[in-house]
Amino acid sequence: MWLVLLGPPGAGKGTQAQRLTTELCIPHISTGEMLREVKEEPTELGRQVTDFLAKGELVPDDLIIQLLGERLAKEDCCGGALLDGFPRTTGQAIALEQLLADIGASLDGVLSIEVPQDEVVQRMLKRAKVEGRDDDTPEVIRNRMSVYQRSTQPLIDFYRQRNQLYPIDGLGSPNEVFERIQDAIESIRKDRADAGK
Ligand code: AMP
């Protein structure tokens, strides 16, 4: 099953993605995690990525599309994957369709975790204390939110128009949110069966 997990920073995507991929036996591909690894490399690319992450800006589409393409070519993706943090722009969404078509696959559904902005900012400030992520400072958080609204929010319409969007209420305990995600997976399976896939 090929899934995308959408949602603002701080919506709890990482936690939910881990549970869901364990249940579905597919890899969890987090482009944020991939970039945090690249950042540690003593290369020019590592240095460039460090700058984008520190400011809360998106890395250029070409760069992330190339990295994702390499990741999708790995054997563990033969039965699908859950993409967390990709796509983040409409350009990336269009590139994803092509990357999947190249490996004979297509997207089954987009899970969109919806949480009001005030709540996600509070959650991220809390996470900053616990995890010590250097892109969780108040200033960078503000920028990441505005980047999300400007670049990633339009994807919700993009996928809604394609009938691929499954909205999830992200308020409540992680268990409650996970139950809603499981319901959405059932709907995706049903829609897929109805479409004869
Ligand atoms: P995340 O862990 O998903 O919140 O991502 C952390 C940071 O990595 C983001 O603020 C961006 O700087 C960068 N990043 C992650 N995924 C992407 C993507 N698909 N396109 C561009 N930049 C990304």
Side-chain angles (χ1 to χ4, degrees):
M1 194 175 228
W2 284 98
L3 299 167
V4 162
L5 188 59
L6 271 186
K13 295 192 297 292
T15 314
Q16 297 297 342
Q18 269 168 16
R19 284 184 73 170
L20 186 59
T21 49
T22 305
E23 186 169 292
L24 298 178
C25 291
I26 51 174
H28 169 201
I29 301 182
S30 156
T31 46
E33 282 299 325
M34 287 166 62
L35 289 168
R36 282 188 282 281
E37 278 168 26
V38 171
K39 190 179 106 162
E40 297 307 318
E41 293 168 6
T43 57
E44 174 56 22
L45 182 62
R47 199 192 53 70
Q48 284 174 9
V49 166
T50 303
D51 281 351
F52 285 107
L53 263 66
K55 292 187 193 128
E57 293 291 333
L58 297 182
V59 305
D61 279 359
D62 291 359
L63 168 59
I64 194 72
I65 290 165
Q66 159 99 24
L67 279 178
L68 186 78
E70 288 166 13
R71 179 66 187 86
L72 297 188
K74 299 213 165 124
E75 213 177 311
D76 62 341
C77 292
C78 62
L82 174 70
L83 304 181
D84 162 11
F86 188 99
R88 267 203 167 66
T89 63
T90 310
Q92 291 179 17
I94 292 165
L96 177 61
E97 286 185 342
Q98 190 56 51
L99 286 174
L100 291 177
D102 289 348
I103 55 170
S106 63
L107 196 57
D108 292 299
V110 176
L111 304 164
S112 170
I113 305 188
E114 298 180 345
V115 183
Q117 181 164 342
D118 289 353
E119 169 74 17
V120 287
V121 171
Q122 289 310 318
R123 288 188 192 178
M124 285 167 82
L125 289 169
K126 219 159 121 192
R127 179 172 80 183
K129 288 204 189 111
V130 180
E131 290 182 14
R133 260 173 67 163
D134 56 7
D135 58 352
D136 271 351
T137 63
E139 193 192 339
V140 178
I141 288 174
R142 259 197 303 280
N143 193 38
R144 290 172 69 202
M145 286 309 301
S146 72
V147 167
Y148 177 79
Q149 266 151 12
R150 195 174 55 242
S151 306
T152 310
Q153 189 91 32
L155 281 183
I156 296 190
D157 285 333
F158 176 90
Y159 285 123
R160 189 182 292 116
Q161 281 161 10
R162 285 172 157 68
N163 288 328
Q164 287 178 308
L165 192 76
Y166 294 79
I168 317 278
D169 175 3
L171 285 177
S173 69
N175 281 344
E176 285 167 332
V177 177
F178 190 63
E179 275 174 26
R180 293 175 201 140
I181 290 180
Q182 285 173 309
D183 290 345
I185 296 293
E186 275 317 302
S187 306
I188 292 174
R189 287 207 170 105
K190 187 176 168 300
D191 292 347
R192 221 169 51 158
D194 290 347
K197 276 203 203 171

